[in-house]
Amino acid sequence: MKKIISLLICVLLLVSCGNKHEGEEKPSLLSNLINITDNENNGIEEILNFYGGRCEYSIGVSASTSDGTKKYFEIEMSQSDEIEKRLDKPILPSSNIAYIFYKNLKEEKKNYDAIHVILVSKNNVEQEFKYPVSTLEKVEQRISLNDKTVNLLKEKKFENLKTMLNNELIPFDKNELVPRLIKLEPQFGDIKEYRFFGFMIAPYKGKDILHLSGALLREKQNHEFSIDVDFNSNRDELYQLQYKK
């Protein structure tokens, strides 16, 4: 078993939901001990705007005998009603928090090996998740396929969507799926917005399957929307496309 030594190189800064984060904007002992960039601050603010609650963040270094030294940015979320509702699948809000922070970074991406996320329930139960920056980089690339799929649905280009369906890994009738989607359009109404909820990666039949979860906000009825794709591929192929009311 690896011997792991964790060293926090900075104290936690506490920020609360709202427009101002006192620890960042007012000179104090705490705010002088850690500085974050505008891009990092934008990521924290976007997370708070999405989930509400309280956010504590820190920068840390972990060292192990096999992996060497790794630098990470840690985000702890608590007192969030939105997260509380999703704790049956905590990997979704945790992955979304890591992704929101990551996508706001620019040059800062090279500063970290991972983004750590800690979710604290209202019963003070903590769950920790670690997302390597290399994984988040790949997820960002594959999310472009998710965006393309949503745009095709928004523009009602169903035949274009049909060419992207691959039913070899997960069997389904491609010829039936598109007519079902067309039939549901009047019930749901036009797509106004897509909202991303998070991702999961799982091995299946020799492939790493990336599950991208979110919701389509519609004129008449909103619903959950997800796709499954090959995490390690650059091809525009969908192994699965699901609506859930």
Side-chain angles (χ1 to χ4, degrees), residues 48-74:
L48 285 167
N49 288 336
F50 195 100
Y51 289 109
R54 293 175 67 180
C55 175
E56 297 178 32
Y57 56 86
S58 65
I59 297 170
V61 174
S62 63
S64 72
T65 54
S66 60
D67 297 332
T69 300
K70 301 288 185 181
K71 188 176 180 181
Y72 59 87
F73 194 100
E74 184 173 276

Side-chain angles (χ1 to χ4, degrees), residues 16-119:
S16 60
C17 184
N19 294 326
K20 291 186 177 181
H21 309 313
E22 292 185 357
E24 297 172 26
E25 295 187 351
K26 293 182 180 178
S28 67
L29 176 61
L30 288 179
S31 62
N32 287 333
L33 288 174
I34 180 173
N35 291 312
I36 62 173
T37 67
D38 289 343
N39 294 324
E40 290 168 337
N41 186 66
N42 290 340
I44 296 296
E45 292 215 4
E46 186 175 341
I47 291 166
L48 285 167
N49 288 336
F50 195 100
Y51 289 109
R54 293 175 67 180
C55 175
E56 297 178 32
Y57 56 86
S58 65
I59 297 170
V61 174
S62 63
S64 72
T65 54
S66 60
D67 297 332
T69 300
K70 301 288 185 181
K71 188 176 180 181
Y72 59 87
F73 194 100
E74 184 173 276
I75 301 166
E76 180 179 307
M77 295 296 297
S78 61
Q79 301 180 24
S80 166
D81 291 336
E82 288 301 314
I83 292 176
E84 198 76 20
K85 290 188 297 187
R86 295 176 171 86
L87 286 180
D88 57 328
K89 292 183 180 178
I91 195 169
L92 291 180
S94 68
S95 62
N96 193 31
I97 288 165
Y99 181 71
I100 289 173
F101 183 77
Y102 171 82
K103 72 183 178 69
N104 275 278
L105 304 182
K106 293 183 172 58
E107 290 298 317
E108 299 91 344
K109 289 177 181 177
K110 68 179 184 295
N111 295 338
Y112 305 109
D113 297 292
I115 309 299
H116 294 188
V117 177
I118 299 174
L119 303 182

